[in-house]
Amino acid sequence: MGFNPDSLALRFMRHVNAPWVLWINFQINLRIESLQYWLTRTTFSSQMYRWFKIPIDTATFLQLRTCWIDDFVQEFASRYSNTSSQLVILGAGYDSRCYRLTKLPSGMTKFEVDAQGTQKLKKQILTKINVDHSAVRFVTCDFGTEDWVDKLEEKGFSKNIPTCFVWEGVTVYLTEDDVISTLKTVKQCAPGTIIGYDFNAPWLVSKYKEKTKGFGEEWKFGVTPEGNRDLIKKTGLKVLEILESDEMNLRSVACLEVQGQSSFQSPPSQVSKSHSTLNQIPDP
């Protein structure tokens, strides 16, 4: 959309197996949407809804999610710049924060946790595009059968060191019990530890449940902001913030607010669609 800071995304995509038609389509759309943003200072989703009442905002939310996570990772890193800390990317996929966030302190140990196949391909791609990944500890884990904390500890992870957990684009594929279990595990870590994740509204999950099931990636977990607060309370964590798409636009996109009014207009049917939440272990 013209404001995505993930400079490595395109370089990753060039080496991911995908039909060439999809690659060309992505390139064209990316350039058109970027040009629209710089000319109008509004996102593609906002333009489509304002002009044609077409609610297209999924891509915009993904961009905003990237910005939001970058922000809290860097804020955490700054807070612990003079002491030991840890960054853990759960279900890392092609997450690039360990490589493109250049101001992460030397005292921060970086871990990426993912399935063996995805992780192997990612390391091959990093080598091909000449990105140094020697400082990252890759943790191979089958989340369905193995304990991810045990696998982390095998690579030097410590529950006694403040940790920033990134849990991006994962919860929708889990059950509520799985989400609660993961958050309770995070609660066992050192005070000051934080975890940030995104979640979808129940109506959205229900809408796409059957379609995603057919693809072998069934959507399971959906919750309202109020429900998420209740869920967090069950785990003993403290909610720092829960943001909806509108709030994330105002925070991350330049020139979106003019004379107190947002230039991003959420269509009524999309209210409370996707959210992001940052949670912390309370100080003792």
Side-chain angles (χ1 to χ4, degrees), residues 246-274:
D246 283 6
E247 297 171 282
M248 295 172 73
N249 267 280
L250 289 173
R251 177 181 293 190
S252 300
V253 185
C255 302
L256 272 181
E257 191 168 17
V258 180
Q259 296 180 351
Q261 294 185 343
S262 170
S263 63
F264 178 81
Q265 303 174 24
S266 291
S269 62
Q270 299 297 298
V271 172
S272 297
K273 175 180 177 181
S274 301

Side-chain angles (χ1 to χ4, degrees):
M1 302 306 165
F3 62 92
N4 185 7
D6 193 345
S7 57
L8 290 178
L10 287 176
R11 296 175 67 187
F12 276 140
M13 278 200 65
R14 292 191 183 102
H15 298 276
V16 175
N17 294 327
W20 65 270
V21 175
L22 292 180
W23 169 248
I24 294 176
N25 180 68
F26 176 82
Q27 293 291 330
I28 294 173
N29 285 328
L30 175 67
R31 282 156 178 76
I32 290 175
E33 292 177 14
S34 296
L35 178 61
Q36 287 175 329
Y37 172 75
W38 289 115
L39 289 176
T40 66
R41 294 300 182 183
T42 58
T43 62
F44 178 65
S45 302
S46 179
Q47 296 166 38
M48 292 299 290
Y49 183 69
R50 177 181 299 169
W51 298 336
F52 308 109
K53 304 303 179 184
I54 299 175
I56 303 174
D57 74 342
T58 300
T60 302
F61 175 76
L62 297 181
Q63 300 276 34
L64 294 170
R65 187 176 70 184
T66 297
C67 296
W68 173 72
I69 294 176
D70 286 359
D71 286 347
F72 79 68
V73 169
Q74 293 179 108
E75 182 179 343
F76 177 89
S78 176
R79 188 184 313 146
Y80 292 98
S81 60
N82 296 319
T83 187
S84 297
S85 63
Q86 299 171 135
L87 173 62
V88 176
I89 315 294
L90 290 174
Y94 292 99
D95 189 290
S96 62
R97 291 180 177 88
C98 291
Y99 320 103
R100 61 179 173 79
L101 298 184
T102 57
K103 294 184 179 180
L104 299 182
S106 58
M108 173 178 275
T109 307
K110 299 181 283 290
F111 301 87
E112 290 193 4
V113 188
D114 211 340
Q116 182 175 9
T118 303
Q119 201 166 79
K120 180 180 179 180
L121 179 58
K122 182 177 184 178
K123 288 193 285 187
Q124 292 173 349
I125 292 174
L126 288 168
T127 300
K128 286 182 180 178
I129 64 177
N130 296 316
V131 172
D132 182 18
H133 50 283
S134 58
V136 178
R137 302 186 186 187
F138 293 93
V139 180
T140 300
C141 180
D142 181 338
F143 290 97
T145 61
E146 297 178 307
D147 187 310
W148 57 269
V149 176
D150 288 345
K151 302 298 286 187
L152 270 168
E153 290 178 333
E154 290 176 6
K155 293 288 186 175
F157 173 81
S158 172
K159 292 182 180 178
N160 299 319
I161 297 175
T163 304
C164 175
F165 288 94
V166 173
W167 205 20
E168 182 179 14
V170 176
T171 64
V172 72
Y173 301 106
L174 306 177
T175 65
E176 181 174 323
D177 287 343
D178 290 335
V179 173
I180 292 174
S181 175
T182 299
L183 295 175
K184 285 183 176 180
T185 299
V186 170
K187 176 62 172 62
Q188 299 171 12
C189 296
T193 291
I194 63 173
I195 179 168
Y197 63 90
D198 55 291
F199 60 94
N200 293 318
W203 68 263
L204 184 68
V205 174
S206 296
K207 181 178 179 180
Y208 290 102
K209 187 176 183 68
E210 289 305 316
K211 289 183 180 180
T212 55
K213 187 176 182 179
F215 296 139
E217 295 286 348
E218 180 183 356
W219 284 15
K220 300 176 182 178
F221 177 72
V223 66
T224 64
E226 296 76 17
N228 184 67
R229 287 186 184 278
D230 292 339
L231 185 147
I232 293 297
K233 288 180 181 179
K234 295 179 183 178
T235 68
L237 295 172
K238 173 185 177 183
V239 177
L240 296 182
E241 63 180 8
I242 296 179
L243 299 177
E244 295 189 21
S245 298
D246 283 6
E247 297 171 282
M248 295 172 73
N249 267 280
L250 289 173
R251 177 181 293 190
S252 300
V253 185
C255 302
L256 272 181
E257 191 168 17
V258 180
Q259 296 180 351
Q261 294 185 343
S262 170
S263 63
F264 178 81
Q265 303 174 24
S266 291
S269 62
Q270 299 297 298
V271 172
S272 297
K273 175 180 177 181
S274 301
H275 310 78
S276 296
T277 180
L278 184 62
N279 312 284
Q280 182 179 38
I281 296 178
D283 292 329

